[in-house]
Amino acid sequence: MLIPFIPFLTNSSMAPRKKLKGLVAATITPMTPDGKINLPVIRQYVDYLVNEQNVKNVFVNGTTGEGLSLSIQERKQLAEEWMCQGKDKLDHVIIHVGALNLPEGQELARHAAAIGADGIAVIAPFFFKPTNKDELVAFLQKVASEAPEVPFYYYHIPPLTGVKSRELSQNRPVFPHMRLLFWTVRVEELLDGIKAQIPTFQGVKFSDTDLLDLAQCIHKNGTGEFEFLYGVDEFLTGEFLNFVIKLGFGVAQTKAVMTSVSGIPMGPPRLPLVAASGEFIAKAKAKLDSIVWPNGD
């Protein structure tokens, strides 16, 4: 999956770095048939992205990469392999280090800094959730501070975290003694004053369909201080995605489609996800073959 970058470039006080521009690939984690990560495939994957897709930026261990289904050691191994194979080929390797608990996120942030990552990103914790901006920023700051020289991105993906800006029915409370709320923290609210608390804050991977929030972010970013990676790319492949979503489309199906398109053996997903069916693969391939893409392929 490719993430368009919205080019509002940084005026940060950090050391000069190569500007992030173009597409950013949210990388898949290749796995063997028995569910182990398949590190040797990463070299082929890098060459495919660079030579055939002209993509030189990657976002590793995110949602598409099943990052939260991997062990800490596996995430470190993948990060190291992407850094190794991407050396002198990729412009930016951004590593997602978010976790459900603070110590693991901090450990992954330290590791990413040690191997020379070009950026780190953190998702909001989604079991015990932050209920407001201050709680979220406090969590992000504790992770970012473990990599004090590495550009930091907040990974905003409410559809995955399950955080909703609504209140459960008060007629049927889950706990009689309390009102149970689900919150969402709008990104435009998050931007206010965040550099004072997280000096390395570079921007947001914005994986939500709330375009009003995104528009407000862009409006607030008039000086070009921050960078935004827009992670909902359906507008680029609408005809195909509209077709496969009706069949049932997720990480497993993404891996199957990528294997079909690239020839790179991405393997199955990790449980509890299950592999795409043969019927899905056949129908998706037929649909892909029927579409006339802009480059004529």
Side-chain angles (χ1 to χ4, degrees):
M1 187 171 290
L2 299 178
I3 308 165
F5 166 63
I6 302 176
F8 295 93
L9 301 176
T10 181
N11 294 322
S12 168
S13 60
M14 288 185 297
R17 65 188 184 94
K18 187 176 291 187
K19 293 179 178 179
L20 178 60
K21 58 183 179 180
L23 294 173
V24 182
T27 61
I28 291 166
T29 296
M31 292 187 184
T32 61
D34 61 352
K36 295 188 170 86
I37 60 172
N38 194 356
L39 291 176
V41 171
I42 302 298
R43 174 180 290 189
Q44 183 183 359
Y45 199 169
V46 170
D47 290 341
Y48 172 79
L49 289 172
V50 173
N51 300 329
E52 299 190 39
Q53 301 297 324
N54 196 30
V55 173
K56 296 186 177 181
N57 309 299
V58 295
F59 186 90
V60 177
N61 287 338
T63 305
T64 303
E66 303 174 76
L68 290 170
S69 289
L70 306 176
S71 71
I72 296 298
Q73 185 59 32
E74 288 173 324
R75 292 173 70 174
K76 288 181 178 180
Q77 290 173 339
L78 279 162
E80 291 170 9
E81 192 68 14
W82 276 100
M83 290 298 300
C84 176
Q85 299 303 332
K87 183 177 173 59
D88 300 324
K89 295 180 181 179
L90 297 172
D91 291 339
H92 289 85
V93 178
I94 300 172
I95 299 172
H96 173 240
V97 300
L100 291 183
N101 65 79
L102 183 59
E104 288 187 354
Q106 291 175 312
E107 180 181 346
L108 288 168
R110 289 192 295 270
H111 176 261
I115 64 175
D118 301 290
I120 60 173
V122 172
I123 197 172
F126 53 86
F127 188 81
F128 293 115
K129 302 176 178 69
T131 63
N132 56 51
K133 168 190 168 181
D134 292 341
E135 292 177 5
L136 175 57
V137 171
F139 181 88
L140 300 178
Q141 189 277 332
K142 287 294 186 181
V143 180
S145 65
E146 297 297 319
E149 303 298 324
V150 182
F152 179 85
Y153 296 84
Y154 166 51
Y155 182 10
H156 181 67
I157 183 167
L160 180 74
T161 60
V163 180
K164 304 293 182 184
S165 56
R166 67 180 177 85
E167 184 175 319
L168 287 184
S169 171
Q170 295 183 45
N171 295 326
R172 298 180 60 190
V174 178
F175 302 106
H177 63 283
M178 66 181 290
R179 297 168 66 195
L180 185 61
L181 300 176
F182 289 97
W183 298 84
T184 184
V185 179
R186 293 174 62 82
V187 178
E188 61 97 4
E189 173 191 4
L190 187 78
L191 297 182
D192 291 334
I194 195 168
K195 287 288 282 189
Q197 295 170 276
I198 306 177
T200 53
F201 184 81
Q202 194 72 30
V204 179
K205 181 184 175 187
F206 192 101
S207 295
D208 191 20
T209 56
D210 186 351
L211 296 184
L212 178 59
D213 190 16
L214 180 61
Q216 288 294 103
C217 291
I218 293 170
H219 176 71
K220 283 189 173 182
N221 195 45
T223 61
E225 185 178 12
F226 303 129
E227 300 171 347
F228 295 95
L229 291 72
Y230 188 55
V232 183
D233 55 3
E234 281 79 354
F235 67 94
L236 293 176
T237 54
E239 182 181 348
F240 175 69
L241 285 174
N242 184 57
F243 176 80
V244 293
I245 285 171
K246 294 176 181 176
L247 301 178
F249 191 69
V251 170
Q253 290 72 26
T254 298
K255 297 185 87 165
V257 169
M258 183 65 176
T259 297
S260 176
V261 169
S262 68
I264 301 172
M266 294 300 177
R270 177 160 291 177
L271 291 169
L273 303 181
V274 296
S277 67
E279 180 184 9
F280 170 87
I281 294 170
K283 288 183 177 179
K285 185 177 187 307
K287 183 62 177 179
L288 277 172
D289 292 343
S290 74
I291 297 174
V292 179
W293 299 99
N295 65 358
D297 293 335

Coordinates of all heavy atoms in Angstrom, one line a residue, residues 235-282:
F235 N -8.6 6.7 -3.1 CA -8.9 7.5 -4.3 C -8.0 7.2 -5.5 O -8.3 7.5 -6.6 CB -8.8 9.0 -3.9 CG -7.4 9.4 -3.6 CD1 -6.6 10.0 -4.5 CD2 -6.9 9.3 -2.3 CE1 -5.3 10.4 -4.2 CE2 -5.7 9.7 -2.0 CZ -4.9 10.3 -2.9
L236 N -6.8 6.6 -5.3 CA -5.9 6.2 -6.4 C -6.3 5.0 -7.1 O -6.0 4.8 -8.2 CB -4.5 6.1 -5.8 CG -3.8 7.4 -5.3 CD1 -2.4 7.1 -4.7 CD2 -3.7 8.4 -6.4
T237 N -6.9 4.0 -6.4 CA -7.2 2.7 -6.9 C -8.7 2.4 -6.7 O -9.0 1.2 -6.4 CB -6.3 1.7 -6.3 OG1 -6.5 1.7 -4.9 CG2 -4.9 1.9 -6.6
G238 N -9.5 3.4 -6.8 CA -10.9 3.2 -6.4 C -11.7 2.1 -7.1 O -12.4 1.3 -6.4
E239 N -11.5 1.9 -8.4 CA -12.2 0.9 -9.1 C -11.9 -0.5 -8.6 O -12.8 -1.3 -8.3 CB -12.0 0.9 -10.6 CG -12.8 -0.1 -11.4 CD -12.5 0.0 -12.9 OE1 -11.8 0.9 -13.3 OE2 -12.9 -1.0 -13.6
F240 N -10.6 -0.8 -8.4 CA -10.2 -2.1 -7.9 C -10.6 -2.3 -6.5 O -11.1 -3.3 -6.1 CB -8.7 -2.2 -8.1 CG -8.1 -3.5 -7.5 CD1 -8.4 -4.7 -8.1 CD2 -7.4 -3.5 -6.3 CE1 -7.9 -5.9 -7.5 CE2 -6.9 -4.7 -5.8 CZ -7.2 -5.9 -6.4
L241 N -10.4 -1.3 -5.6 CA -10.7 -1.5 -4.2 C -12.2 -1.6 -4.0 O -12.6 -2.3 -3.1 CB -10.1 -0.3 -3.4 CG -8.6 -0.4 -3.2 CD1 -8.1 0.9 -2.5 CD2 -8.2 -1.6 -2.4
N242 N -13.0 -0.8 -4.7 CA -14.4 -1.0 -4.6 C -14.9 -2.4 -4.9 O -15.8 -2.9 -4.3 CB -15.1 0.0 -5.6 CG -16.6 0.0 -5.4 OD1 -17.2 0.2 -4.4 ND2 -17.3 -0.3 -6.5
F243 N -14.2 -3.0 -5.9 CA -14.5 -4.4 -6.2 C -14.1 -5.4 -5.1 O -14.9 -6.2 -4.7 CB -13.8 -4.8 -7.5 CG -13.9 -6.2 -8.0 CD1 -15.1 -6.6 -8.6 CD2 -12.9 -7.1 -7.7 CE1 -15.2 -7.9 -9.0 CE2 -13.1 -8.5 -8.1 CZ -14.2 -8.9 -8.7
V244 N -12.8 -5.3 -4.6 CA -12.3 -6.3 -3.7 C -12.9 -6.1 -2.3 O -13.0 -7.0 -1.5 CB -10.8 -6.3 -3.6 CG1 -10.2 -6.8 -4.9 CG2 -10.2 -5.0 -3.3
I245 N -13.3 -4.8 -1.9 CA -13.9 -4.6 -0.6 C -15.2 -5.4 -0.5 O -15.5 -5.9 0.6 CB -14.1 -3.1 -0.4 CG1 -12.7 -2.4 -0.1 CG2 -15.1 -2.9 0.8 CD1 -12.8 -0.9 0.0
K246 N -15.9 -5.5 -1.6 CA -17.1 -6.3 -1.6 C -16.9 -7.8 -1.3 O -17.7 -8.5 -0.8 CB -17.9 -6.1 -2.9 CG -18.4 -4.7 -3.0 CD -19.1 -4.5 -4.4 CE -19.6 -3.0 -4.6 NZ -20.1 -2.8 -5.9
L247 N -15.7 -8.2 -1.7 CA -15.3 -9.6 -1.5 C -14.8 -9.8 -0.1 O -14.7 -11.0 0.4 CB -14.2 -10.0 -2.5 CG -14.5 -9.9 -4.0 CD1 -13.3 -10.3 -4.8 CD2 -15.7 -10.8 -4.4
G248 N -14.4 -8.8 0.6 CA -13.7 -8.9 1.9 C -12.2 -8.6 1.7 O -11.5 -9.4 1.1
F249 N -11.8 -7.4 2.2 CA -10.4 -7.0 1.9 C -9.7 -6.5 3.1 O -10.3 -5.7 3.9 CB -10.4 -5.9 0.8 CG -9.1 -5.5 0.3 CD1 -8.4 -6.4 -0.6 CD2 -8.4 -4.3 0.6 CE1 -7.2 -6.2 -1.1 CE2 -7.2 -4.0 0.0 CZ -6.6 -4.9 -0.8
G250 N -8.5 -7.0 3.4 CA -7.8 -6.6 4.6 C -6.3 -6.9 4.3 O -5.8 -7.1 3.2
V251 N -5.6 -7.1 5.4 CA -4.1 -7.3 5.3 C -3.8 -8.6 4.6 O -2.9 -8.7 3.7 CB -3.5 -7.4 6.7 CG1 -2.0 -7.8 6.7 CG2 -3.5 -6.0 7.4
A252 N -4.6 -9.7 4.9 CA -4.3 -11.0 4.2 C -4.5 -10.8 2.7 O -3.7 -11.3 1.9 CB -5.3 -12.0 4.7
Q253 N -5.5 -10.1 2.3 CA -5.8 -9.9 0.9 C -4.8 -9.0 0.2 O -4.4 -9.2 -0.9 CB -7.2 -9.4 0.7 CG -8.3 -10.4 1.0 CD -8.5 -10.7 2.5 OE1 -8.2 -9.8 3.3 NE2 -9.0 -11.9 2.8
T254 N -4.3 -8.0 1.0 CA -3.3 -7.1 0.5 C -2.0 -7.9 0.2 O -1.4 -7.7 -0.9 CB -2.9 -6.0 1.5 OG1 -4.1 -5.2 1.7 CG2 -1.8 -5.2 1.0
K255 N -1.7 -8.9 1.0 CA -0.5 -9.7 0.8 C -0.6 -10.6 -0.4 O 0.3 -10.7 -1.2 CB -0.2 -10.6 2.0 CG 0.1 -9.8 3.3 CD 0.5 -10.7 4.5 CE 2.0 -11.0 4.4 NZ 2.5 -11.5 5.7
A256 N -1.9 -11.1 -0.6 CA -2.1 -11.9 -1.8 C -2.0 -11.1 -3.1 O -1.4 -11.6 -4.1 CB -3.5 -12.6 -1.7
V257 N -2.6 -9.9 -3.1 CA -2.5 -9.1 -4.3 C -1.1 -8.7 -4.6 O -0.6 -8.7 -5.7 CB -3.4 -7.8 -4.1 CG1 -3.2 -6.8 -5.2 CG2 -4.9 -8.2 -4.1
M258 N -0.3 -8.3 -3.5 CA 1.0 -7.9 -3.7 C 1.9 -9.0 -4.3 O 2.7 -8.8 -5.2 CB 1.6 -7.4 -2.4 CG 3.1 -6.9 -2.5 SD 3.2 -5.4 -3.5 CE 5.0 -5.1 -3.3
T259 N 1.6 -10.2 -3.8 CA 2.3 -11.4 -4.3 C 2.0 -11.6 -5.8 O 2.9 -11.8 -6.6 CB 1.9 -12.7 -3.6 OG1 2.4 -12.5 -2.2 CG2 2.6 -13.9 -4.2
S260 N 0.8 -11.4 -6.2 CA 0.3 -11.6 -7.5 C 0.9 -10.5 -8.5 O 1.4 -10.8 -9.6 CB -1.2 -11.6 -7.6 OG -1.6 -11.7 -9.0
V261 N 0.9 -9.3 -8.0 CA 1.4 -8.2 -8.8 C 2.9 -8.2 -9.0 O 3.4 -7.9 -10.1 CB 0.9 -6.9 -8.2 CG1 1.6 -5.7 -8.9 CG2 -0.6 -6.8 -8.4
S262 N 3.6 -8.4 -7.9 CA 5.1 -8.2 -7.8 C 5.9 -9.5 -8.1 O 7.0 -9.4 -8.5 CB 5.5 -7.6 -6.5 OG 5.3 -8.6 -5.5
G263 N 5.2 -10.6 -7.8 CA 6.0 -11.9 -7.9 C 6.8 -12.2 -6.7 O 7.5 -13.2 -6.6
I264 N 6.7 -11.3 -5.7 CA 7.5 -11.5 -4.4 C 6.6 -12.3 -3.5 O 5.5 -12.0 -3.2 CB 7.8 -10.1 -3.8 CG1 8.6 -9.3 -4.7 CG2 8.5 -10.3 -2.5 CD1 8.8 -7.8 -4.2
P265 N 7.1 -13.4 -3.0 CA 6.3 -14.3 -2.1 C 6.1 -13.7 -0.7 O 6.9 -13.8 0.2 CB 7.1 -15.6 -2.0 CG 8.6 -15.1 -2.2 CD 8.5 -14.0 -3.1
M266 N 5.0 -13.0 -0.5 CA 4.7 -12.4 0.7 C 4.2 -13.3 1.8 O 4.2 -13.0 3.0 CB 3.7 -11.2 0.5 CG 4.3 -10.1 -0.3 SD 5.7 -9.3 0.5 CE 6.2 -8.1 -0.7
G267 N 3.7 -14.5 1.4 CA 3.3 -15.5 2.3 C 1.9 -15.1 3.0 O 1.3 -14.1 2.7
P268 N 1.5 -15.9 4.0 CA 0.3 -15.7 4.7 C 0.4 -14.7 5.7 O 1.5 -14.3 6.1 CB 0.0 -17.1 5.3 CG 1.4 -17.6 5.6 CD 2.3 -17.1 4.5
P269 N -0.7 -14.2 6.3 CA -0.7 -13.3 7.4 C -0.5 -14.1 8.7 O -0.5 -15.4 8.6 CB -2.0 -12.6 7.4 CG -2.9 -13.7 6.9 CD -2.1 -14.4 5.8
R270 N -0.3 -13.5 9.8 CA -0.2 -14.2 11.1 C -1.5 -14.3 11.7 O -2.3 -13.3 11.7 CB 0.8 -13.4 12.0 CG 0.9 -14.0 13.4 CD 2.2 -13.6 14.0 NE 3.4 -14.2 13.4 CZ 4.6 -13.9 13.7 NH1 4.9 -13.1 14.7 NH2 5.7 -14.5 13.1
L271 N -1.8 -15.4 12.4 CA -3.1 -15.5 13.1 C -3.2 -14.4 14.2 O -2.2 -14.0 14.7 CB -3.1 -16.9 13.8 CG -3.2 -18.1 12.9 CD1 -3.0 -19.4 13.6 CD2 -4.6 -18.1 12.2
P272 N -4.4 -13.9 14.4 CA -5.7 -14.5 14.0 C -6.2 -14.2 12.6 O -7.2 -14.7 12.2 CB -6.6 -13.8 15.0 CG -6.0 -12.5 15.2 CD -4.6 -12.7 15.2
L273 N -5.4 -13.5 11.8 CA -5.8 -13.3 10.4 C -5.5 -14.6 9.6 O -4.6 -15.4 10.0 CB -4.9 -12.2 9.8 CG -5.0 -10.8 10.4 CD1 -4.2 -9.8 9.7 CD2 -6.5 -10.4 10.5
V274 N -6.3 -14.9 8.6 CA -6.1 -16.1 7.8 C -5.9 -15.7 6.4 O -6.2 -14.6 5.9 CB -7.4 -17.0 7.9 CG1 -7.5 -17.5 9.3 CG2 -8.6 -16.3 7.5
A275 N -5.2 -16.6 5.7 CA -4.9 -16.3 4.3 C -6.1 -16.1 3.4 O -7.2 -16.6 3.6 CB -4.0 -17.5 3.7
A276 N -5.8 -15.3 2.4 CA -6.9 -15.0 1.4 C -7.2 -16.3 0.7 O -6.4 -17.2 0.4 CB -6.4 -14.0 0.4
S277 N -8.5 -16.5 0.3 CA -9.0 -17.7 -0.4 C -8.5 -17.7 -1.8 O -8.2 -16.7 -2.4 CB -10.5 -17.8 -0.3 OG -11.1 -16.7 -1.1
G278 N -8.5 -18.9 -2.4 CA -8.2 -19.1 -3.8 C -9.2 -18.3 -4.7 O -8.8 -17.8 -5.7
E279 N -10.4 -18.3 -4.2 CA -11.5 -17.6 -5.0 C -11.2 -16.1 -5.0 O -11.3 -15.5 -6.1 CB -12.9 -17.9 -4.4 CG -14.0 -17.2 -5.1 CD -15.3 -17.4 -4.4 OE1 -15.3 -18.0 -3.3 OE2 -16.4 -17.0 -4.9
F280 N -10.8 -15.6 -3.9 CA -10.5 -14.1 -3.8 C -9.4 -13.8 -4.8 O -9.4 -12.9 -5.6 CB -10.2 -13.7 -2.4 CG -9.6 -12.3 -2.4 CD1 -10.5 -11.2 -2.3 CD2 -8.3 -12.0 -2.5 CE1 -10.0 -9.9 -2.3 CE2 -7.8 -10.7 -2.5 CZ -8.6 -9.7 -2.4
I281 N -8.3 -14.6 -4.7 CA -7.1 -14.4 -5.5 C -7.5 -14.4 -7.0 O -7.0 -13.5 -7.8 CB -6.0 -15.4 -5.2 CG1 -5.5 -15.2 -3.7 CG2 -4.9 -15.3 -6.1 CD1 -4.6 -16.3 -3.2
A282 N -8.3 -15.4 -7.4 CA -8.6 -15.5 -8.8 C -9.5 -14.3 -9.3 O -9.2 -13.7 -10.3 CB -9.4 -16.8 -9.0

